[in-house]
């Protein structure tokens, strides 16, 4: 009996090679089929919605405008959260699943602060100070949690295969969820109502916009400008970009790589804290599980915009917000499918799958370090 | 004459499933314990013959099958999939359509030898459809696409309530019994108490035997896949996909194959799981199930079949141990005395205003309740295992084995 039963494969005959070429095109065929189907669905859906709108059924013009603005506000929140995923992926090359829980910790501790301020009357007597304090508390909490997670679960694993920190991040996410659930109770906590100053709506260019949503969009723009300044104009920001580009060479150039990575987590955590504050304005109710879905969607947004690309993350967030807010009603509603607003979450993931099939590097292009570029 | 132990002089003996005497003895012992455990005759393991424990071990066997499937995809071929629960759901609902009781929900009432293979086949087919994405999107993107799959699947399962019964009531799954066709009385029923060969067995014990038999077949199959040409191809794709292609491994074909095998396993496991719990809601096939299976693979040791056995035992039994521990501690805290009582009291909250890490009271009170504590521990264990013992439980076993191999010398 021979020990090894494998012979080298005979050189391929020309027909064989042709067959192989055909098989690759079979995958392409499959992908093209999906693309064409997607386009048909979108075109028909749009057509249906427009005809419905013209016929005066469904939402009014004001209704659509409200929907778009609220989707934008939600998208801005996803965008800020997506920054954390995108930056960590750009530098370390893995998905920090626990980032959603970093956000959740911000909302939970922010709730305690908001409640305390509300009970002491600061919330009503001095609303801007109160909101600022809540923002600071949420940011500090999220930053601390993000840095701690990095220290405990990722630092010992520098240099391990990518899959490994992904799994520890799932573990950390479980740990954080249930620790917070245990510490703060599993029920929903409701933030005090937004202060009077931002309770009404404002008229901008003839469109009525709810003030909370406007506030959220303004905060998002401000923090984006701050982040842009930090990343492009400061020394630490430059160090971060260098580490994202190539860790080894950045180290040789005298950059403290470990400290820079901690900084990346801290900045991502701070942005998650800002997003937590926005959540408190938009949705008000939080529980220990609140980080999961926004986290997954924010990651979707990061991929949508091109992972590792900071501006792309924000753009991807806004697009995802629009897509899941307006998309189901505009496209699926136009096709006459009932109960479309329940489809929100599924639509977000279908959007992701489509983007990955159409344009795997994201809409605005991915920016990866030297090791991740293939 | 006997040569040096563990010296393999031929490829065949090196590649044998049990390539050392120790393995044969240990596996034989393990099987013997499995066979005798439900009878309650093993001293020290009599507690395991109770119905509740039989049920737990049945669940271990089912999740072992699921984990073996994921192990082929993730452990051997290196493709991270978070979508295992989706394939389990596909298998479960295929089984339900084919084998479920006829009634308001779809169900044809066919016997097990139809619905079980069909569950595997349909899930494998869906896996083949998903597989091309794994060529297009690599690594972590694949994890996210498969994560999306779980969400889309959960949504579909919830809305196809004429099959799944919706999330309020769920549906009844086919019973575990052997029939030729649709006749009234089954040849062998695993879900009623009765006697086999003159031994009285509870339904739980019977189901345990059935599921363990399936798990043994699944393990042997997995081990053989690992040793085959396909298994080696999977491992080469895992280690370096470009190098694998250069050496002649057709990446598309083998990735598709890995997906098909893995989701086929998941389908069978899902069908058995559904039949085993007999009634469940669509949410049972959500992300937590996927994470549980991934945890088994990683805690057991990715890529190692015997690791899966250890992993599934660990992951399923751990929550029960924690629960028992909590009960024991709270008993101590209530009735113990001295330092033992104060230590127990530190860990367990027995009253509403009592401080403690774990709370033994229902409802909200300070401290984590048993379920939450389990989840926290679960998360910490995943992190801890990966940081301190990347090879999982199997790695610990290897260290113990190597220590005794050289004993009393240090190396």
């Amino acid at each position: 009996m021979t020990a090894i039963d494998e012979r080298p494969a005979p050189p391929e005959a020309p027909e064989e090679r042709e067959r192989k070429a055909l098989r690759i095109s079979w995958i392409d065929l499959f992908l093209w089929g999906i693309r064409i189907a997607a386009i048909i669905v979108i075109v028909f859906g749009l057509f249906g919605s427009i005809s419905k709108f013209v016929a005066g059924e469904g939402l009014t013009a004001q209704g659509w405008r409200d929907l778009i603005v609220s989707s934008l506000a939600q998208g801005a929140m996803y965008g800020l959260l997506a920054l954390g995923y995108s930056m960590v992926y750009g530098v370390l090359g893995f998905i920090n699943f626990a980032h959603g829980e970093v956000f959740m910790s911000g909302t939970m501790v922010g709730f305690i602060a908001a409640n305390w301020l509300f009970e002491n009357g600061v919330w009503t007597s001095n609303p801007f100070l109160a909101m600022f304090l809540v923002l600071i508390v949420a940011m500090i909490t999220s930053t601390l949690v993000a840095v701690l997670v990095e220290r405990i679960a990722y630092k010992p694993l520098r240099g391990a295969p990518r899959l490994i920190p992904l799994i520890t991040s799932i573990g950390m996410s479980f740990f954080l969820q249930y620790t917070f659930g245990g510490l703060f109770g599993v029920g929903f906590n409701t933030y005090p109502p937004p202060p009077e100053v931002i309770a009404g709506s404002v008229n901008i260019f003839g469109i009525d916009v709810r003030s909370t949503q406007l506030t959220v969009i303004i905060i998002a723009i401000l923090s984006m400008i701050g982040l842009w300044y930090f990343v492009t104009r400061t020394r630490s920001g430059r160090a971060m970009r260098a580490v994202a580009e190539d860790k080894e060479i950045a180290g040789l150039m005298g950059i403290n790589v470990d400290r820079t990575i901690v900084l990346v987590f801290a900045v991502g955590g701070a942005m998650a804290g800002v997003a937590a504050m926005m959540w408190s304005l938009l949705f008000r109710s939080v529980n220990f599980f609140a980080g999961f879905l926004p986290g997954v969607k924010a990651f979707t947004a990061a991929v949508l915009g091109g992972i590792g690309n900071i501006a792309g993350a924000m753009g991807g967030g806004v697009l995802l917000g629009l897509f899941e807010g307006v998309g189901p009603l505009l496209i699926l509603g136009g096709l006459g499918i009932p109960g479309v607003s329940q489809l929100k979450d599924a639509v977000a993931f279908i959007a992701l799958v489509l983007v990955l099939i159409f344009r795997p590097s994201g809409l605005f292009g991915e920016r990866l370090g030297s090791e991740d570029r293939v | 004459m006997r040569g040096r132990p563990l010296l393999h002089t031929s490829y065949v003996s090196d590649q044998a499933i049990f390539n050392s005497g120790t393995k044969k003895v240990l596996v034989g012992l393990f099987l013997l314990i499995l066979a005798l455990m439900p009878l309650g005759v093993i001293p020290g393991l009599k507690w395991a013959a109770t119905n509740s424990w039989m049920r737990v071990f049945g669940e271990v066997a089912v999740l072992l099958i699921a984990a073996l499937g994921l192990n082929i995809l993730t452990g051997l071929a290196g493709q991270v999939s978070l979508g295992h629960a989706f394939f389990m759901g596909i298998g479960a609902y295929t089984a339900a359509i084919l084998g479920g009781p006829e009634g308001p929900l779809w169900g044809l009432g066919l016997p097990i030898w139809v619905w079980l293979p069909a569950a595997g086949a349909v899930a494998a087919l869906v896996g083949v459809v998903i597989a091309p994405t794994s060529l297009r999107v690599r690594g972590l993107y694949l994890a996210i696409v498969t994560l999306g799959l779980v969400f889309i699947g959960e949504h579909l399962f919830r809305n196809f309530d004429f099959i799944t019964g919706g999330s309020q009531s769920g549906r009844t799954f086919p019973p575990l019994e052997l029939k030729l066709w649709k006749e009234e009385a089954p040849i062998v029923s695993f879900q009623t108490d009765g006697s086999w060969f003159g031994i009285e067995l509870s339904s739980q014990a019977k189901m345990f035997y059935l599921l363990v038999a399936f798990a043994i077949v699944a393990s042997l199959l997995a081990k053989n896949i690992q040793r085959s040409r396909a298994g080696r191809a999977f491992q080469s794709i895992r280690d370096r996909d470009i190098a694998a292609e250069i050496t002649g491994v057709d990446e598309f074909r083998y990735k598709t194959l890995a997906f098909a095998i893995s989701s086929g396993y998941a389908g069978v496991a899902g069908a058995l799981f559904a039949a085993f719990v007999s009634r469940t809601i669509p949410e049972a096939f959500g992300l937590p199930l996927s994470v549980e299976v991934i945890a088994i693979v990683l805690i057991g040791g990715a890529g190692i079949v015997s690791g899966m056995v250890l992993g599934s035992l660990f992951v399923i039994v751990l929550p029960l141990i924690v629960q028992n521990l909590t009960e024991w501690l709270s008993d101590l805290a209530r009735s113990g005395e001295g330092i033992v009582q104060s230590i127990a009291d530190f860990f367990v909250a027995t009253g509403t205003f009592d401080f403690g890490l774990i709370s033994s009271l229902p409802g909200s009170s300070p401290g984590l309740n048993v379920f939450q504590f389990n989840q926290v521990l679960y998360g910490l264990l995943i992190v801890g295992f990966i940081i301190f013992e990347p090879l999982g439980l199997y790695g610990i076993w290897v260290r113990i084995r190597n220590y005794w191999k050289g004993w009393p010398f240090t190396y």
Side-chain angles (χ1 to χ4, degrees), chain B residues 216-409:
Chain B
I216 289 171
V217 173
S219 314
L220 285 177
L221 191 63
K223 186 80 191 169
N224 276 330
I225 288 170
Q226 193 175 347
R227 303 186 308 144
S228 71
R229 188 191 175 100
R232 288 192 298 273
F234 294 159
Q235 289 170 56
S236 68
I237 289 176
R238 173 193 65 190
D239 292 341
R240 200 95 181 105
D241 49 356
I242 297 171
E245 279 222 272
I246 290 169
T247 46
V249 173
D250 184 343
E251 198 190 358
F252 174 66
R253 196 173 129 201
Y254 282 109
K255 273 188 179 171
T256 313
L257 189 64
F259 256 98
I261 296 174
S262 153
S263 41
Y265 262 94
V268 170
L272 286 174
F273 174 72
F276 174 68
V277 298
S278 93
R279 187 178 188 90
T280 189
I281 53 173
E283 277 78 5
F285 302 100
L287 188 65
L289 185 63
S290 276
V291 173
E292 201 165 20
V293 181
I294 284 224
I296 293 176
V297 172
L298 288 167
I299 289 178
I304 296 140
V305 171
S306 50
M308 296 305 107
V309 181
L310 295 175
S312 47
L313 259 173
F314 190 81
V315 168
I316 309 293
V317 176
L318 176 80
L320 288 161
I321 292 176
V322 173
Q323 196 175 341
N324 286 344
L325 191 75
T326 319
E327 277 161 16
W328 178 68
L329 277 177
S330 60
D331 279 352
L332 268 186
R334 280 203 194 89
S335 56
E337 51 191 39
I339 190 142
V340 182
Q341 195 266 338
S342 44
I343 290 172
D345 196 34
F346 174 74
F347 283 112
V348 184
T350 45
T352 323
F353 298 105
D354 187 9
F355 172 79
L357 217 53
I358 321 169
S359 151
S360 60
L361 296 169
S364 59
S365 55
L368 307 153
N369 65 29
V370 176
F371 172 73
Q372 288 165 347
F373 186 68
N374 260 324
Q375 299 295 323
V376 168
L377 206 62
Y378 192 44
L380 276 185
L381 274 171
I382 294 178
V383 176
F385 258 107
I386 285 178
I387 291 178
F388 299 112
E389 191 57 73
L391 272 176
L393 288 168
Y394 182 78
I396 295 177
W397 157 243
V398 167
R399 254 197 275 135
I400 295 171
R401 189 182 69 190
N402 288 350
Y403 176 78
W404 286 108
K405 234 182 219 171
W407 192 85
F409 308 107

Side-chain angles (χ1 to χ4, degrees), chain A residues 84-106:
Chain A
Y85 286 97
S86 202
M87 280 165 34
V88 168
Y89 197 101
V91 172
L92 288 175
F94 72 88
I95 308 164
N96 178 12
F97 259 114
H99 195 62
E101 272 57 52
V102 168
F103 161 79
M104 180 272 291
S105 67

Side-chain angles (χ1 to χ4, degrees), chain A residues 1 3-4 6 20 23 26-27 30-31 35 89 93-95 97 152-153 156-157 163-164 166-168 170-172 174-175 178-179 181-182 186 292-293 296 299 303 307 342-343 346 349-350 352-353 356-358 360 366, chain B residues 10-12 74 80 82 129 132-133 135-137 140-141 143-145 147-148 151-152 155 159 229 232 242 250 252-253 287-288 291 294 298 364-369 371-372 375-380 382-383 386-387 390:
Chain A
M1 209 175 156
I4 301 168
E6 269 178 66
K20 238 180 203 167
R23 193 162 54 216
W26 183 81
I27 310 174
F30 174 78
L31 294 174
R35 282 171 202 176
Y89 197 101
F94 72 88
I95 308 164
F97 259 114
I152 295 169
L157 297 170
L163 170 63
I164 304 282
L166 173 79
I167 303 296
T168 51
I170 294 181
M172 275 322 272
F174 264 83
F175 172 71
Y178 287 95
T179 308
V186 289
F292 177 71
L293 218 59
V296 171
F299 180 75
V303 175
I307 204 143
Q342 295 169 11
L343 282 167
F349 285 105
I350 292 170
L352 172 72
V353 173
L356 285 175
I357 288 172
F358 273 101
E366 55 185 5
Chain B
S10 75
Y11 187 69
V12 175
T74 304
V80 196
L82 292 171
V129 175
T133 14
L135 271 181
R136 183 80 178 165
V137 296
L140 299 170
Y141 287 120
I144 294 300
V145 170
L147 179 73
F151 286 104
I152 295 168
H155 187 83
N159 282 22
R229 188 191 175 100
R232 288 192 298 273
I242 297 171
D250 184 343
F252 174 66
R253 196 173 129 201
L287 188 65
V291 173
I294 284 224
L298 288 167
S364 59
S365 55
L368 307 153
N369 65 29
F371 172 73
Q372 288 165 347
Q375 299 295 323
V376 168
L377 206 62
Y378 192 44
L380 276 185
I382 294 178
V383 176
I386 285 178
I387 291 178

Side-chain angles (χ1 to χ4, degrees), chain A residues 83-226:
Chain A
L83 285 170
Y85 286 97
S86 202
M87 280 165 34
V88 168
Y89 197 101
V91 172
L92 288 175
F94 72 88
I95 308 164
N96 178 12
F97 259 114
H99 195 62
E101 272 57 52
V102 168
F103 161 79
M104 180 272 291
S105 67
T107 57
M108 289 290 244
V109 179
F111 164 74
I112 294 174
N115 215 28
W116 186 80
L117 290 169
F118 185 68
E119 275 166 9
N120 286 307
V122 187
W123 191 263
T124 36
S125 67
N126 211 339
F128 286 108
L129 177 70
M131 285 200 306
F132 183 71
L133 284 178
V134 171
L135 179 69
I136 294 297
V137 167
M139 278 173 75
I140 290 176
T141 315
S142 292
T143 311
L144 270 180
V145 172
V147 171
L148 271 179
V149 166
E150 195 273 341
R151 182 66 199 81
I152 295 169
Y154 306 141
K155 198 168 176 216
L157 297 170
R158 264 328 116 66
R162 299 295 157 66
L163 170 63
I164 304 282
L166 173 79
I167 303 296
T168 51
S169 72
I170 294 181
M172 275 322 272
S173 144
F174 264 83
F175 172 71
L176 286 172
Q177 265 172 20
Y178 287 95
T179 308
F180 271 87
L183 291 178
F184 297 97
V186 289
F188 277 91
N189 296 318
T190 312
Y191 270 85
E196 298 256 320
V197 211
I198 56 165
S201 50
V202 196
N203 195 305
I204 303 171
F205 306 125
I207 303 170
D208 279 332
V209 179
R210 223 179 278 160
S211 307
T212 45
Q213 290 168 356
L214 189 70
T215 318
V216 164
I217 294 173
I218 290 172
I219 296 178
I221 292 172
L222 286 181
S223 28
M224 268 312 282
I225 292 173

